[in-house]
Amino acid sequence: MQTRGVTMEALLEAHTRLVAALRSPSCYKHPATTVDVIETHISTVLLAGAYAYKIKKPIRLPFLDFSTLAKRQHYCVEEHRLNCRLAPEWYLGVVPIVNSGNEVAVEGEGKVLDYALKMRRFPQQALLDCRLAAGELLPDAVTRLADCIALFHRRAARADETDTALQAEQRLRPVTDNLAELNELLATDMPAERIAFKRAEEFLSRQRECLAAWFEERQAHGYVRECHGDLHLGNVALLAASNELVVFDAIEFDPLLRWLDVIDEVAFTTMDLEHRQANCFSGLFLNAYLQRTGDYAGLTALRFYQCHRALVRAKVNLLRAQQLAEDAEGSNRSEALNYLHQAAAYTDPGWPQLVITHGPSASGKSTLARQLSEHAGFIWLRADIERKRLGGLSAETQSGSALNQGLYTPEATDKTYRHMFELAESLLGAGFPVVIDASFLQYRQRIAAAHLAHRANVAFVIVGCVVKPDELRRRLKQRALDEQVSEADIDVLEHQLSHCDPLTDKELLCFSEVDSSLRSNWIQALQAGPQTSQTGLHPLAVE
């Protein structure tokens, strides 16, 4: 391949020589005792002292073109703009790399050899993939990341619904392109790669056809935004000293890879967590994001995008295998196969079932629902949050509503339950298990949920913890001292205790009382499915 008479091989050789020269600390204006180098399939990053310098490789691939100096400068500037949205204090600008007096220098005067994006440096062990591997990633960081991305998506530039360059056919072009590029990279002598790829390819084709109208509607409804585009764990750092999350390395080289449906971005993060065997964190991230944004409709295409993202990572690993020496190629090809198998796994239909919680305030309903969302893949619909969303409030905002007033009138409560039932019906239809986290103290509320499960043809389970009233009162007094989403107080509890409908004999067939010592077994039983459960999880016959 040639670029204006210069072969790509010659450009890469020049890049290699430049990087070798830049390994000398004398190239930099600031102190640097050593210079470390990180290679990706499209960039070289030099770690010198307190700073990092990212240089684009002079390459042309089907999805990017860095083949000229002008293009590399342009994309450095674009990358700086995009990343200043999430990490303005870490991206310091674009600097020239020059030949100054026959010496290579960064930020000097002389003939420009290339450009670099200058960033503040943080330890490699701060990256979330390293934190996770070291057992240092905690749930709080995952929740904060979900909150960060939800806020970022809310503020991100929104695609005009009349912009034909960003309509569904164009936005989905990277899916088609990636399939074609990946097909060319697959080995002819490895049938396991081909089988997994074919299964994923057919799934994406079917889903794309079935969801054609849905993809179009998402842009009209404002869900297509200028996103990050590459939101995996290796592009997020958690700094030990400040506990700050830094999201970096947004995609600059192709607008279609960052002008995304926001659920596509969420799919990448959840896929990456699941690839690293951190399914509990995937469930935590997904539900935290959904509760923050309310974008449950996006789950219609979650598995489509997860499958696509796994195939993208398979391609990246195969490209990297081509660039590496033969002795290092095996690990990248093996990782690519793992991604191909993961992509194929997303084609399996889900195991939808409906679980509702039961019990007064402070009885542990949200704890049960959270465990289901993290450990069994349930989508967690939380009445305390959806009630406020319907009232135009954020989850943290206190409405100040007294018992039977404001957001807590009987009419508002009925509206909240109807809203959650509508969400649940859609999610069950898309193949997701759902847990509705609400009191369900009235028989009419529970039987409405049972009818919903019957219409969806899924198993129905009622779960709850039986807690003595004095303990409930103690918990509520303690809760009042902490910041809580729930606004229930003692008055609300006393009203609940005196106005609840007991479970009927038929409902008791579906009821599972769960104490803390049995929760793990109970969750495993739900994952296995009602037909193999030994915990009394029987579908409720609805007449």
Side-chain angles (χ1 to χ4, degrees), residues 1 31 64 115 206-207 226 235 244 246 400 486 498 522 527:
M1 183 180 294
L64 63 79
Y115 291 91
R206 290 194 307 271
Q207 288 293 101
E226 191 175 34
N235 284 340
E244 177 186 2
V246 182
S486 173
S498 60
W522 172 74
Q527 288 176 302

Side-chain angles (χ1 to χ4, degrees), residues 227-301:
C227 296
H228 179 280
D230 200 22
L231 195 61
H232 57 80
L233 269 62
N235 284 340
V236 185
L238 176 61
L239 306 183
S242 62
N243 203 30
E244 177 186 2
L245 276 170
V246 182
V247 181
F248 63 98
D249 211 16
I251 285 183
E252 81 287 1
F253 50 80
D254 185 346
L256 285 179
L257 298 182
R258 65 176 181 271
W259 280 95
L260 308 171
D261 190 310
V262 292
I263 207 66
D264 184 358
E265 186 128 282
V266 171
F268 198 172
T269 310
T270 55
M271 182 281 297
D272 193 33
L273 284 162
E274 290 164 14
H275 183 74
R276 301 172 191 277
Q277 307 302 311
N279 292 42
C280 58
F281 283 152
S282 175
L284 177 61
F285 177 87
L286 177 61
N287 279 285
Y289 179 88
L290 293 172
Q291 290 176 5
R292 175 70 68 175
T293 64
D295 185 22
Y296 292 96
L299 294 181
T300 297

Side-chain angles (χ1 to χ4, degrees), residues 4 60 78 99 160 184 218 239 266-267 274 310 326 361 401 409 449 454 487:
R4 294 182 181 179
R60 180 186 294 146
E78 185 71 344
N99 186 335
D160 190 310
E184 291 296 318
R218 292 288 284 180
L239 306 183
V266 171
E274 290 164 14
E326 187 174 342
S361 299
S401 302
T409 62
H454 183 67
E487 295 186 57

Side-chain angles (χ1 to χ4, degrees), residues 39-203:
E39 297 277 1
T40 74
H41 63 300
I42 61 174
S43 302
T44 300
V45 181
L46 297 136
L47 306 176
Y51 302 98
Y53 298 87
K54 183 178 180 182
I55 308 171
K56 302 188 184 303
K57 292 181 177 178
I59 57 177
R60 180 186 294 146
L61 297 171
F63 54 90
L64 63 79
D65 186 357
F66 295 158
S67 59
T68 69
L69 180 63
K71 287 178 178 178
R72 293 195 295 278
Q73 180 187 23
H74 166 76
Y75 285 116
C76 280
V77 172
E78 185 71 344
E79 186 172 1
H80 178 258
R81 175 187 73 84
L82 292 165
N83 283 288
C84 279
R85 299 175 300 166
L86 278 161
E89 296 180 358
W90 293 85
Y91 280 80
L92 304 178
V94 179
V95 298
I97 302 170
V98 301
N99 186 335
S100 178
N102 293 322
E103 298 290 338
V104 174
V106 179
E107 297 184 85
E109 298 294 329
K111 179 184 177 181
V112 176
L113 302 174
D114 220 319
Y115 291 91
L117 183 60
K118 183 178 181 181
M119 300 166 281
R120 289 171 57 197
R121 180 181 176 182
F122 44 74
Q124 285 298 109
Q125 59 266 32
L127 299 179
L128 289 197
D129 55 354
C130 296
R131 295 275 191 199
L132 179 61
E136 298 172 352
L137 186 58
L138 300 178
D140 173 69
V142 178
T143 301
R144 287 196 293 122
L145 178 61
D147 289 345
C148 170
I149 299 306
L151 180 60
F152 168 62
H153 284 168
R154 191 178 75 188
R155 294 174 174 174
R158 172 177 169 173
D160 190 310
E161 63 180 288
T162 63
D163 189 344
T164 56
L166 291 175
Q167 289 179 348
E169 183 177 353
Q170 294 302 313
R171 292 200 321 275
L172 293 173
R173 193 194 73 200
V175 177
T176 304
D177 291 348
N178 186 67
L179 288 169
E181 293 156 14
L182 183 53
N183 187 49
E184 291 296 318
L185 291 167
L186 293 175
T188 57
D189 59 346
M190 293 188 67
E193 287 187 0
R194 289 285 175 185
I195 292 170
F197 171 75
K198 187 66 175 177
R199 184 173 162 194
E201 182 184 39
E202 291 174 351
F203 169 77

Side-chain angles (χ1 to χ4, degrees), residues 354-358 414 417-418 421 425 436 439-456 458 460-462 501-510 539-543:
L354 178 62
V355 173
I356 66 171
T357 61
H358 173 259
D414 288 344
Y417 275 91
R418 286 196 303 271
F421 290 154
E425 189 155 20
I436 303 180
S439 297
F440 281 99
L441 296 176
Q442 306 303 312
Y443 174 75
R444 59 185 176 82
Q445 297 162 344
R446 300 191 297 269
I447 199 64
H451 279 284
L452 166 58
H454 183 67
R455 289 196 304 274
V458 299
F460 176 63
V461 182
I462 306 171
D501 297 333
L503 295 173
T504 65
D505 289 342
K506 185 177 288 188
E507 286 179 302
L508 288 172
L509 294 175
C510 315
L540 178 64
V542 180
E543 297 175 354

